[in-house]
C-alpha cells in the first residue's frame, strides 16, 4: 500500500525529490564509527552492508538479522552521528527558493520523528516522507499529472531506475558520496546525470528547470 502523501502540499512550481542518507546527511562514514562502538568493523568488499560488517576481534561476518538490528539502532541514535555534506544545506535552501522540495528517505517510518527532528535542527524543514517502499511509484504519486519540471536525486542506482521507469520525464541525478564502498556500486544508466557535489547538482537542476 502506497504511503499516505496527504501532508505534502505542492505549489505551482518545479519539484525536487531528494534522498537523505549519503546524499544530504552522511551515512556510511558515521555508521562505520558507530560500528566501532559496538565492537564491529566495515570491510567494503562489495556494494552492500550485509556480509561486509565483521566482528572487530576475529573478523567473523555479522549475520543479516544482526546487521538489520545495528542499522535500526543507528537510526534511533542518528542525531548523535549524522551531519550534512558540504554545501548541502546552502544548496537546498537556494533551490527551495523557487522550487518545491520533498525529502524521500528510505528508512522504516518508525524513525521518521527522529529524522524530522534532525533535519529541522539543520534548518532543512522541507516536507519529508520516510518509507521502505519503492521510490518510483512514490515520486509518480507525488508528481501526479503536473506538467511542471521534476528532478530526483539519489545515491542508489536502483532508486534512479525505479523513478525513471515510473516518471520518464524526470531529471535523474546520481550523487554518490566519495567513499570506498561506492567503487563497487553499479553504473547508472545513460539517462542519469552523475554529479560530484551539491554545487554541481544545483547547476544541473537549474539548467533543467530553465531550459
Amino acid at each position: 500500500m502506497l504511503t499516505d502523501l496527504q501532508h505534502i502540499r505542492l505549489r505551482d512550481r518545479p519539484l525536487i525529490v531528494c534522498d537523505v542518507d549519503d546524499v544530504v546527511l552522511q551515512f556510511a562514514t558515521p555508521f562505520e564509527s558507530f560500528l566501532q562502538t559496538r565492537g564491529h568493523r566495515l570491510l567494503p568488499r562489495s556494494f552492500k552492508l550485509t556480509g561486509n560488517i565483521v566482528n572487530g576481534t576475529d573478523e567473523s561476518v555479522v549475520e543479516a538479522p544482526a546487521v538489520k538490528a545495528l542499522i535500526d539502532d543507528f537510526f534511533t541514535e542518528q542525531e548523535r552521528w549524522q551531519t550534512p555534506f558540504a554545501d548541502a544545506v546552502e544548496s537546498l535552501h537556494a533551490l527551495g527558493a523557487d522550487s518545491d522540495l520533498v525529502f524521500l528517505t528510505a528508512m522504516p517510518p518508525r524513525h521518521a520523528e527522529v529524522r524530522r527532528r534532525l533535519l529541522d535542527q539543520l534548518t532543512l524543514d522541507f516536507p519529508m516522507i520516510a518509507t521502505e517502499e519503492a521510490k518510483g511509484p512514490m515520486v509518480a504519486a507525488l508528481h501526479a499529472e503536473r506538467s511542471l519540471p521534476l528532478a530526483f536525486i539519489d545515491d542508489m542506482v536502483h532508486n534512479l531506475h525505479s523513478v525513471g521507469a515510473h516518471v520518464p520525464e524526470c531529471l535523474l541525478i546520481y550523487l554518490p558520496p566519495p567513499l570506498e564502498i561506492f567503487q563497487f556500486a553499479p553504473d547508472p544508466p545513460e539517462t542519469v546525470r552523475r554529479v560530484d557535489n551539491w554545487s554541481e547538482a544545483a547547476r544541473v537542476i537549474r539548467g533543467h528547470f530553465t531550459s
Side-chain angles (χ1 to χ4, degrees):
M1 182 177 179
L2 200 65
T3 299
D4 184 13
L5 305 177
Q6 294 300 313
H7 67 289
I8 306 295
R9 294 287 185 268
L10 300 180
R11 288 164 285 183
D12 188 26
R13 56 189 200 163
L15 172 63
I16 302 166
V17 181
C18 183
D19 182 37
V20 176
D21 287 303
D22 268 343
V23 172
V24 177
L25 300 178
Q26 297 188 55
F27 173 83
T29 298
F31 185 62
E32 286 190 64
S33 300
F34 167 81
L35 289 174
Q36 291 174 9
T37 69
R38 300 297 182 94
H40 300 306
R41 295 173 56 209
L42 177 64
L43 297 179
R45 298 169 291 197
S46 61
F47 191 59
K48 59 182 181 178
L49 294 177
T50 301
N52 289 329
I53 297 175
V54 300
N55 185 288
T57 303
D58 60 9
E59 294 200 352
S60 58
V61 173
V62 177
E63 298 300 326
V67 170
K68 185 176 181 180
L70 286 165
I71 296 171
D72 200 67
D73 288 348
F74 178 78
F75 280 142
T76 299
E77 301 177 17
Q78 62 187 276
E79 290 168 292
R80 292 180 50 199
W81 297 100
Q82 293 189 267
T83 57
F85 284 101
D87 297 331
V89 174
E90 181 181 357
S91 297
L92 287 165
H93 278 296
L95 289 167
D98 47 26
S99 304
D100 279 353
L101 198 150
V102 176
F103 290 126
L104 180 53
T105 184
M107 69 190 314
R110 62 181 174 274
H111 297 298
E113 183 178 348
V114 179
R115 173 56 54 84
R116 178 74 273 168
R117 189 164 62 232
L118 175 54
L119 291 172
D120 287 347
Q121 289 167 3
L122 297 169
T123 71
L124 296 172
D125 56 354
F126 303 101
M128 184 195 80
I129 302 163
T131 181
E132 295 178 291
E133 298 171 28
K135 291 193 174 183
M138 296 294 299
V139 174
L142 264 177
H143 191 54
E145 301 301 321
R146 289 155 40 97
S147 60
L148 293 160
L150 170 67
F152 174 72
I153 313 167
D154 209 291
D155 65 317
M156 293 292 178
V157 170
H158 70 271
N159 290 328
L160 293 159
H161 273 292
S162 178
V163 173
H166 286 82
V167 196
E169 70 273 19
C170 181
L171 170 67
L172 304 172
I173 295 183
Y174 179 48
L175 179 54
L179 300 173
E180 182 181 0
I181 196 169
F182 273 81
Q183 70 178 307
F184 302 105
D187 292 327
E190 294 182 357
T191 53
V192 172
R193 180 71 179 267
R194 178 173 182 150
V195 298
D196 294 324
N197 52 56
W198 266 103
S199 296
E200 186 179 358
R203 287 196 300 272
V204 171
I205 291 170
R206 287 197 184 92
H208 178 71
F209 285 177
T210 58
S211 62

